[in-house]
Amino acid sequence: MADKLIIFDTTLRDGEQSPGASMTRDEKIRIARQLERLRVDVIEAGFAASSNGDFEAIQAIAGIVKDSTVCSLARANDRDIARAAEALKGANSSRIHTFIATSPLHMEKKLRMSPDQVFEQAKLAVRYARQFTDNIEFSPEDGSRSDLDFLCRVLEAVINEGATTINVADTVGYGVPELYGQLVRTLRERMPNSDKAVWSVHCHNDLGMAVANSLAGVQLGGARQIECTINGLGERAGNTSLEEVVMALKTRKDYFGLELGIDTTQIVPASKLVSQITGFNVQPNKAVVGANAFAHASGIHQDGVLKARDTYEIMRAEDVGWTANKIVLGKLSGRNAFKQRLQELGIEMESEQDVNAAFSRFKELADQKSEIFDEDILAIVSNEAQAEGNEHFYLVSMAQHSETGERPSARVVFTAQGKELVGESDGNGPVDAVLNAIESQVKSGAEQLLYSVNAITTGTQSQGEVTVRLSKAGRIVNGVGTDPDIVAASAKAYLSALNKLYSKAEKLNPQLTP
Ligand code: KIV
Ligand code: ZN
């Protein structure tokens, strides 16, 4: 039997550290459920000590997820570790992941600690974590830029203290495949107790080599865990993308020879869900999950694929969960059909009241567009979470006027904590006018960093999905809105971003704090 490779997904922790990608508890639960369906081995659900919101999300996920191990990140100190242990209490299987930086640069400039102090703190942290669990992961942050002898000293000590997984972090994406793979190999060969731990790779994508580095860590280095995120979400240029490493390992099993527990047919649904919740669109030419990943445009390729699929396809679209855009429901579909489709999509609503609210949104949408796809249903569920009462700002109605040669104008009615406000303004275009109208009342002064529109299915009947990224006082948030009318979707996205900006949920970023 081939060796098993552990897939450790950190979309909900490292992925969430992307600017603006922060997720609510309910959004995290939806993604965790999908990760469980995908059969990832470990779900890093968050960083419990970073905020109450993160703590509660981890606690909820620990109580819901049964088949995957649930993990929390913790800096190498007692408070963080105790908080992680507390959040994970209800889990079937749990892991504490503790870390401290080991590179000269990070120790001196960021931690302002000597190597001896870091060594002691790493040891004490793992010793303390052992009081709560025997499933402990230790990461030397900025490991790939650390001194080899010092790294060996720290890692040998933490394994002796009981760390069961050692995760060689390429925190800033500095590694190149051969050298990173050799680093993992050298560490394993030099340390007398290296066989007492599973070796793991954690690569960032700053030079576009995260997937290659991770695979080299496995193939050359002998690592048996890969840390990755859906769509490669993560700080700066992101992390190793789950879909790419998984499909590389599967498609080239002849070369890697490793077993994976992943249900690959859940990859595309996971990708769509994460993109929809975070507002980070997937580029069309992205491997495996991009809209063009299986599209053959050239005549020669089309001809080849029609004659024999494997002439130009090394994977089958359906094996990674691509289905032709199927109409799943329509205007005449009843509540039972809707509820069943929710179940088939793995969406669990908390109450019958929530199902009813989503069903009436579905009916409204079916009046606007005759064909309802799975993507529309996912968007309805996300919109419901932003429904009146749940959020600070909520769109009531809007009107806008645009005509060739005239400056567009808009009037938007929305509520702010239940109080109705009416904003009117003009703008460069209808979207600008609508956003200005909202801003004329809210006066947030936030800077707009990004505005993007994406059709969630195909054709002009599709709903538009708009992402707005705002920044204010060092905080960056993404808002997502969907509607068949892209101007209304823009208003929803802007209000959703403002809701996040006005929420009190402040978080610590593990990489920015000692
Ligand atoms: O990139 C990194 O170093 C991390 C650690 C916390 C593992 O995310
Ligand atoms: Zn990371």
Side-chain angles (χ1 to χ4, degrees), residues 42 83 89 124 309 350-351 360 398 418 420 433:
V42 186
R83 197 86 179 125
K89 254 185 186 159
L124 292 178
R309 221 171 145 152
E350 279 187 10
S351 64
S360 54
M398 48 150 280
E420 197 159 286

Side-chain angles (χ1 to χ4, degrees), residues 10 13-14 17 169-171 202-204 227 235 239 511:
T10 182
R13 197 279 298 170
D14 213 328
Q17 286 169 221
D170 184 26
T171 305
H202 178 107
C203 300
H204 281 264
E227 303 204 348
E235 289 218 83
N239 284 64
Q511 260 85 21

